[in-house]
Amino acid sequence: MSRQKTSPGIPLPPSSTYSSKYSTPARSVPLGTTTNVAAIARSINNMSISAGTSRTPSSTERPLRSTRITSLRTGSSSQDRSNVQTNGITHDHTEQTMNPTATVYSISSNNESSISKISSTATAVPKTTTNSQSNLMNGGLCGLQNLGNTCFMNSVLQCLSNTKPLLLYCLEENLDDQLNTSTTSVMKGVLMKEYASLIRKMWLSSDKRSIVSPSSFKNTIGKFAPRFTGYSEQDSQEFLRYLLQGLSEDVNRVRIKPAAITVDEKQEERMREIDRAKASWQRCLKYENSRLVDIFAGQLKSTLECSFCQYQSITFDMFWDLSIPLPRDKSSTSLQECFQLFMNKEELDGDEKPMCAKCKQKRRCTKQLSIQKCPEILVLHLKRFSQSFGRGKLNNLVKFPIENLRLNEFISESAEGPPPIYNLFGISNHSGSLYTGHYVAECKHPFTHEWHEFNDSNVHTINDEESIISSNAYVLFYERQ
């Protein structure tokens, strides 16, 4: 089927792309399950688990795969071999490696006091029994059946399944009451309901080594984003964008679309930078407010400086993931170096000259990005595919920290609070080329902290934690300490 082109920051499909005739989910787990899931989840969430020691990746390149895995379960070997040969991506990548961008959406949440009230209320739950806690401690090690070139989807679903705050949210007993059936959601809550049903099958099944078919979920995401209706190869990061936006709409707390907001730019220029950032954040919060935003949303600061009069124009945008460029002239690099490329000043000249608000004419300018607000879950997309210098894939080994990722030098001076520290918990890996390849997820269990490899229906324990650093890493999931 024909593939659509997608650039970072492009809005998701409008409501017109959605068919209102929902198919009945096949054997879906009801949201109102009799198990006290919310109490289980929150009790586990509050468990005290000691932090691991800091590890520094080796400076030498490691094999893509070593003898580091212990099999927990094996699916159909013939099917898996076929998947490795046929799964991959054959789409056009429109990201420009030398022009770093962020995936920016108009996303939001209610005012901070409301969010704080919701969070504090949610944690007031009774303790659960040891047996109940063990249900989740031993859960989640579930394979996903490959439906035909759906390894891209399976790898993302496994990473999100091990995203602790999203997992606990999907296990809440009152999730059904939070579904958005208003006009501010394309799917009217059906996508979140189907996703939560899949997650519950993966975590609450009595068979701890089960294999689940995501076919019902795939049919539903295809109604939100028709590009996923067939069985052609797709990109895991693009799939992640659509899924998060769809889930966010489905639990949007804003049920009536607000009127357009007029910004008094002159008045805002007289405000302190920190207050301007808050005002921009609050404007977005008036349109969309969901638990997905609370978990994944951050804020970027963009500084545009006129080279003629040195006037600075500062704007703020929300993001759900950051697309980080890779250097093209190195076989091995570090995540910090990639971040430096992302945050470096970019010169805008020629046809790219913007209008200077002070000069009142187009001028050569510089543009620089920094992080104004850090998200709870930081998703980093390593831009391995580019059209800027020919069609191909960059196979650089990016040495990223497994623990204690610090981004102090890339955070805005006006950002509130101490700079966060992040720990890695998930990777969507891509092996192969632009035209053919295979996706595999490597994830850290949110409760046992053990690493596992999820290769469609197969799940393996990873014994050598450092071996997850490879040139196959494509999308990185970090959690804030």
Side-chain angles (χ1 to χ4, degrees):
M1 73 184 263
S2 175
R3 296 292 309 278
Q4 302 177 23
K5 296 182 179 180
T6 303
S7 298
I10 289 182
L12 295 173
S15 302
S16 60
T17 62
Y18 166 66
S19 170
S20 61
K21 296 181 180 179
Y22 302 110
S23 61
T24 303
R27 301 179 62 186
S28 59
V29 177
L31 293 182
T33 177
T34 56
T35 307
N36 190 0
V37 178
I40 295 175
R42 294 191 180 104
S43 178
I44 294 290
N45 191 31
N46 293 329
M47 291 177 63
S48 175
I49 303 178
S50 59
T53 58
S54 174
R55 296 177 174 85
T56 303
S58 170
S59 60
T60 60
E61 206 170 322
R62 297 181 178 80
L64 299 187
R65 290 288 181 270
S66 58
T67 55
R68 57 176 173 78
I69 55 179
T70 302
S71 176
L72 286 180
R73 179 186 61 258
T74 302
S76 173
S77 58
S78 60
Q79 177 185 9
D80 293 330
R81 286 195 296 270
S82 175
N83 290 337
V84 171
Q85 294 172 357
T86 61
N87 293 352
I89 52 177
T90 59
H91 58 285
D92 293 328
H93 291 268
T94 59
E95 296 91 275
Q96 301 298 314
T97 301
M98 302 308 291
N99 182 22
T101 56
T103 302
V104 180
Y105 299 117
S106 175
I107 55 180
S108 61
S109 186
N110 277 339
N111 58 60
E112 295 178 356
S113 60
S114 299
I115 296 175
S116 177
K117 182 178 181 180
I118 293 172
S119 300
S120 61
T121 303
T123 56
V125 294
K127 293 183 178 180
T128 58
T129 63
T130 303
N131 181 55
S132 297
Q133 294 175 359
S134 65
N135 288 337
L136 288 182
M137 292 290 287
N138 299 322
L141 301 180
C142 175
L144 292 173
Q145 181 183 354
N146 191 307
L147 307 175
N149 293 329
T150 56
C151 58
F152 72 92
M153 179 181 75
N154 291 346
S155 71
V156 169
L157 290 175
Q158 293 291 4
C159 289
L160 293 181
S161 170
N162 288 276
T163 302
K164 189 174 182 179
L166 181 58
L167 166 65
L168 298 182
Y169 180 65
C170 290
L171 297 181
E172 290 185 3
E173 286 185 340
N174 67 337
L175 182 60
D176 217 7
D177 299 331
Q178 302 178 50
L179 299 180
N180 176 17
T181 59
S182 75
T183 57
T184 58
S185 172
V186 172
M187 293 295 289
K188 305 296 188 292
V190 174
L191 181 59
M192 172 55 84
K193 189 170 184 177
E194 189 64 49
Y195 175 77
S197 175
L198 176 63
I199 291 299
R200 293 183 179 200
K201 289 177 184 177
M202 296 170 67
W203 280 86
L204 303 180
S205 172
S206 58
D207 182 3
K208 300 305 180 183
R209 299 184 178 183
S210 62
I211 299 174
V212 173
S213 171
S215 58
S216 182
F217 167 80
K218 183 183 181 298
N219 291 337
T220 306
I221 188 67
K223 294 174 182 178
F224 175 73
R227 65 190 299 148
F228 301 118
T229 54
Y231 295 92
S232 61
E233 296 88 348
Q234 301 279 351
D235 181 277
S236 67
Q237 188 253 352
E238 291 176 355
F239 174 78
L240 175 65
R241 290 189 202 166
Y242 279 84
L243 177 56
L244 291 184
Q245 182 67 14
L247 295 178
S248 180
E249 285 186 9
D250 267 8
V251 289
N252 190 1
R253 300 171 189 132
V254 178
R255 305 301 167 89
I256 300 176
K257 186 176 180 179
I261 300 174
T262 302
V263 180
D264 188 338
E265 295 181 358
K266 291 185 178 180
Q267 180 180 356
E268 287 213 347
E269 286 182 356
R270 295 191 291 268
M271 298 169 60
R272 295 185 307 161
E273 185 175 296
I274 188 173
D275 295 328
R276 292 174 64 184
K278 289 181 179 179
S280 176
W281 184 268
Q282 292 300 320
R283 280 194 295 271
C284 291
L285 303 185
K286 294 180 182 294
Y287 289 91
E288 189 173 350
N289 170 0
S290 73
R291 182 64 182 125
L292 275 294
V293 172
D294 301 340
I295 295 171
F296 292 96
Q299 187 180 40
L300 275 182
K301 170 189 169 183
S302 177
T303 304
L304 199 65
E305 182 176 320
C306 176
S307 299
F308 182 79
C309 68
Q310 281 71 55
Y311 173 78
Q312 288 188 342
S313 174
I314 299 176
T315 56
F316 300 92
D317 294 291
M318 280 188 172
F319 68 87
W320 278 18
D321 65 9
L322 297 178
S323 293
I324 309 298
L326 277 62
R328 302 186 62 89
D329 57 347
K330 290 185 176 182
S331 61
S332 179
T333 185
S334 67
L335 184 61
Q336 293 292 119
E337 184 177 1
C338 295
F339 250 102
Q340 191 64 61
L341 286 175
F342 180 72
M343 299 299 181
N344 278 347
K345 283 187 178 181
E346 176 189 4
E347 187 171 295
L348 304 178
D349 201 356
D351 294 338
E352 295 183 330
K353 285 182 181 178
M355 181 69 70
C356 175
K358 186 176 181 181
C359 296
K360 303 301 181 184
Q361 58 180 298
K362 290 187 176 182
R363 296 288 194 187
R364 182 170 59 88
C365 295
T366 59
K367 180 181 179 180
Q368 186 169 26
L369 300 174
S370 59
I371 301 176
Q372 183 68 32
K373 183 180 178 66
C374 295
E376 180 178 357
I377 299 297
L378 176 64
V379 180
L380 302 178
H381 164 224
L382 302 180
K383 297 174 65 175
R384 295 192 177 278
F385 303 94
S386 175
Q387 287 183 314
S388 56
F389 293 95
R391 298 170 59 85
K393 178 185 176 183
L394 298 177
N395 291 306
N396 310 50
L397 172 65
V398 178
K399 293 173 285 188
F400 47 86
I402 298 175
E403 295 182 348
N404 300 321
L405 170 64
R406 300 173 186 269
L407 303 175
N408 302 31
E409 59 185 300
F410 309 116
I411 296 177
S412 170
E413 294 180 356
S414 60
E416 286 190 301
I421 302 173
Y422 288 98
N423 293 331
L424 184 74
F425 72 90
I427 310 172
S428 174
N429 290 298
H430 177 266
S431 59
S433 66
L434 174 67
Y435 301 98
T436 181
H438 184 58
Y439 285 95
V440 172
E442 294 177 318
C443 306
K444 183 174 70 173
H445 195 282
F447 306 117
T448 66
H449 291 187
E450 293 181 348
W451 281 88
H452 300 89
E453 179 183 270
F454 297 86
N455 186 353
D456 290 330
S457 59
N458 293 331
V459 181
H460 305 282
T461 297
I462 298 176
N463 297 319
D464 180 10
E465 186 177 289
E466 293 289 332
S467 67
I468 66 176
I469 303 173
S470 78
S471 58
N472 289 338
Y474 184 50
V475 183
L476 308 176
F477 293 74
Y478 280 90
E479 58 186 345
R480 188 170 184 165
Q481 283 190 7

